[in-house]
């Protein structure tokens, strides 16, 4: 605990994904006081055409009670 799932458009390199996972891990360590050993990060890539149907509406906007940072955009 804790676990982060990062979902984003495809196209980032493995190096970028590893850097993002590292930065997220460090942010949780600094903010929540947990150790690196307790943090896990999953990354899922999506084609931009799939984003609205598979992620934005069913996962992001459908669960606004748990959404701590709302997006300022709507998918095409």
């Amino acid at each position: 605990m804790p676990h982060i799932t990062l979902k984003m458009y495809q196209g980032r390199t493995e190096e970028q994904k590893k850097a993002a996972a590292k930065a997220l891990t460090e942010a949780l360590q600094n903010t929540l006081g947990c150790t690196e050993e307790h943090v896990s990060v999953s990354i899922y890539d999506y084609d931009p055409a799939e984003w609205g149907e598979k992620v934005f509406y069913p996962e992001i906007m459908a669960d606004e009670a748990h959404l701590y940072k709302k997006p300022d955009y709507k998918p095409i």
Side-chain angles (χ1 to χ4, degrees):
M1 146 354 247
H3 174 75
I4 294 176
T5 301
L6 176 59
K7 297 180 181 187
M8 60 188 177
Y9 283 176
Q10 62 193 19
R12 272 64 174 222
T13 66
E14 285 300 310
E15 292 78 21
Q16 288 174 311
K17 292 176 189 178
K18 288 176 185 177
K22 183 178 186 221
L24 291 167
T25 298
E26 290 171 355
L28 290 177
Q29 287 177 271
N30 294 332
T31 306
L32 302 180
C34 56
T35 63
E36 182 179 2
E37 293 79 20
H38 289 109
V39 178
S40 56
V41 179
S42 297
I43 299 177
Y44 294 88
D45 295 314
Y46 288 87
D47 182 290
E50 300 176 301
W51 185 257
E53 179 183 328
K54 291 189 175 181
V55 179
F56 188 82
Y57 292 107
E59 293 191 30
I60 296 172
M61 300 311 292
D63 193 15
E64 289 190 62
H66 292 101
L67 190 60
Y68 283 79
K69 195 316 192 167
K70 294 181 181 185
D72 293 329
Y73 74 97
K74 292 190 177 160
I76 299 171

